[in-house]
Amino acid sequence: MLGINNIGTYICENKFSNFKRKHDFNINDEFIKNKIGFQELSKINTNENTSELCLKALKNIGMELNLKSIECLILVSQNPDVKIPHTSAILHKKLNLSSNCACFDIGLGCSGYVYGLSIILSFMSTNKLKNGLLFTCDPYSKIIDQKDKNTCLLFGDAASVTYINDSYIYKPLAFKFGTNGGGYTDILCENNTLNMNGRAVFEFSATVIPKHILDFLHEQNFNIADIEYFIFHQGSKYIIDTLKKRLNIEDSKAPFLANFYGNTISSSIPILLEKELFRKNSYNNILLSGFGAGLSWGSTILQRK
């Protein structure tokens, strides 16, 4: 049986205050603190790329890894180093991994961590692999128009790596996924510039995701009360507050914690999950739910060993 052994994360150290942009967009402190929730955004340096952020996350994993034992490396990213080859191959070279290591990228956004977990666990189990790394990194700074209010106040840059093996702390009980390709234009990058229909994305998050979660819990014979902690993709404070209200979840069980680094896309869930791995009184049942570009969504229930 495979599961999550450890997580390393890296949040870019360059900080940009959204309060300094409020006069550019005719917004106030209340909007920044309680609607989007992102008071500061973390940004890459101009000379940093996706693979370098991944390496920094790996350095922060807090354990000595035998990299020669890694048999699978998967990267979730929509903003790779280059179009060809896959950035996981670049990471393979930089880490000097074995030639027997399988490497590939997954082009998903905010749902990507949950999808990535399911994929790496299935791939490793099917092929009888014992040690794998799941990276996430999506530096949206590369594609943001700094004059676009709908995007430039939201996104921060970060990376994560999850170590998968049989000495796990948490393992997924089950997964559930969904897609509405009819809404693909609601989060769209063309000509290397991101455009987002904020109203449509909020409506999707506020209507589809609560039903999806309730259906998932019902299928697994769980109630909301059976889940001790919810880690929702940190799309905005208003989205998290809306999900809590519609699902009747206590504030303490579904926090918004991205105030000072922003929406980090596929890295937002593992950044929060990292904090729970080694808590002395951690939770037995955690629900993860990611949702965004595609429109795409996915959830899993993690159970502590």
Side-chain angles (χ1 to χ4, degrees), residues 36 38 154 232-237 239-240 256 263 268 291:
I36 59 174
F38 304 123
L154 299 180
F232 296 126
H233 164 60
Q234 307 280 283
S236 73
K237 186 177 186 300
I239 286 175
I240 302 300
F256 177 78
N263 175 347
S268 76
F291 39 89

Side-chain angles (χ1 to χ4, degrees), residues 179-188 197 200-201 292-296:
T179 305
N180 174 16
Y184 84 89
T185 58
D186 291 337
I187 306 175
L188 182 67
N197 182 337
V201 171
L295 298 168
S296 171

